[in-house]
Amino acid sequence: FEAMRAAGVAAVVNATPAAWEALRATSFALPTSAQGLGLPGLLLVDGTVVSKPVLEALGSSPPVVDVPLMLTVMAQEADRMPGAVVFNETLVAFGKWLAQAYAAAGFADGLGQEVLKQYAIYSVNAQLTYDSVVTDVGAVCGALALARVAAAGFRSPVYAGYVTSVPSAPFPCADTDYECHFAFNGWDLAAATGLWDVVAGRRGDNTTYAPTLVDEVFGVTVRSHIVALAASGALPPSSGWQPPESPP
């Protein structure tokens, strides 16, 4: 701490770990190479940064921390800051763009069309498809893997959640003119706390969001699960949570 206080700003910035720099990504985008995404996670326990990779830390014996754990992922995390805004694109045009993006990243021919086929349930809107694909690759698969590793080694209960609730109206997200339409990163936090402008308010334009009854019920549900876990260290069976081994 004292060393940081005495150092200049440039010295502190230059000493920033590469993993921290990676977390400054300004948007959620498709992988730029067939090796996947390059956004390493950081694990903090009681204010201390754990230097091991998250997967290794949670899977160590004994685990670096053994407390009740809840890992949740929004179905369209990427809608908060999408790497590409294709909301008004036709599905045909989006399909061509997706094929070109995968080809440029070195993936196998035809992957773009295969992705569209696998994500046909989201074909009502190109942005919904894009956000869902990017989120699954960059967040859902990783979160589920972490939950399964933790569940195998923890004595404490581990829960993995996939949240599909969407705002009742376009939500003005921070630092961008794009309005979130789907289950975006931070939507569950805003709803659970009732601080509907915790995301929107950072735009600095006094934007507000008027929640509907559906939004408020979603917030009560999320909050009740968090409170139950904090109070008793477990969630009641009636809450509907499944073990991490269950298919997503």
Side-chain angles (χ1 to χ4, degrees):
F1 230 14
E2 292 303 320
M4 290 181 65
R5 287 178 182 273
V9 173
V12 173
V13 171
N14 291 335
T16 302
W20 292 24
E21 286 292 329
L23 296 178
R24 293 184 180 181
T26 57
S27 63
F28 297 85
L30 291 171
T32 55
S33 79
Q35 294 179 329
L37 297 178
L39 292 178
L42 289 176
L43 181 65
L44 284 82
V45 177
D46 295 334
T48 300
V49 177
V50 177
S51 58
K52 294 181 179 179
V54 178
L55 195 64
E56 181 182 337
L58 294 182
S60 60
S61 181
V64 67
V65 60
D66 189 347
V67 296
L69 176 64
M70 179 190 292
L71 285 168
T72 58
V73 181
M74 304 303 292
Q76 288 84 40
E77 293 265 356
D79 201 46
R80 169 72 177 273
M81 292 182 292
V85 177
V86 292
F87 189 86
N88 294 318
E89 291 284 349
T90 66
L91 289 173
V92 173
F94 172 67
K96 293 180 179 178
W97 176 86
L98 188 65
Q100 293 172 352
Y102 275 120
F107 287 90
D109 292 341
L111 180 60
Q113 290 303 314
E114 180 62 25
V115 167
L116 287 181
K117 185 167 71 173
Q118 294 296 329
Y119 283 78
I121 188 175
Y122 301 120
S123 62
V124 294
N125 181 271
Q127 192 70 52
L128 177 59
T129 304
Y130 174 88
D131 292 341
S132 301
V133 170
V134 171
T135 299
D136 281 357
V137 174
V140 177
C141 293
L144 186 57
L146 288 175
R148 287 174 172 169
V149 167
F154 281 27
R155 294 185 301 274
S156 305
V158 176
Y159 303 94
Y162 182 74
V163 185
T164 58
S165 172
V166 301
S168 297
F171 195 100
C173 287
D175 305 324
T176 174
D177 292 331
Y178 174 76
E179 292 188 321
C180 304
H181 296 77
F182 310 114
F184 66 90
N185 175 276
W187 167 236
D188 53 344
L189 173 63
T193 60
L195 301 174
W196 301 99
D197 296 333
V198 69
V199 178
R202 296 178 187 173
R203 287 171 59 157
D205 57 4
N206 297 317
T207 302
T208 58
Y209 178 79
T212 65
L213 179 60
V214 173
D215 297 331
E216 293 177 341
V217 169
F218 167 63
V220 169
T221 301
V222 174
R223 185 166 62 251
S224 68
H225 292 169
I226 295 174
V227 170
L229 186 66
S232 64
L235 296 175
S238 60
S239 64
W241 286 73
Q242 300 297 316
E245 292 77 13
S246 302

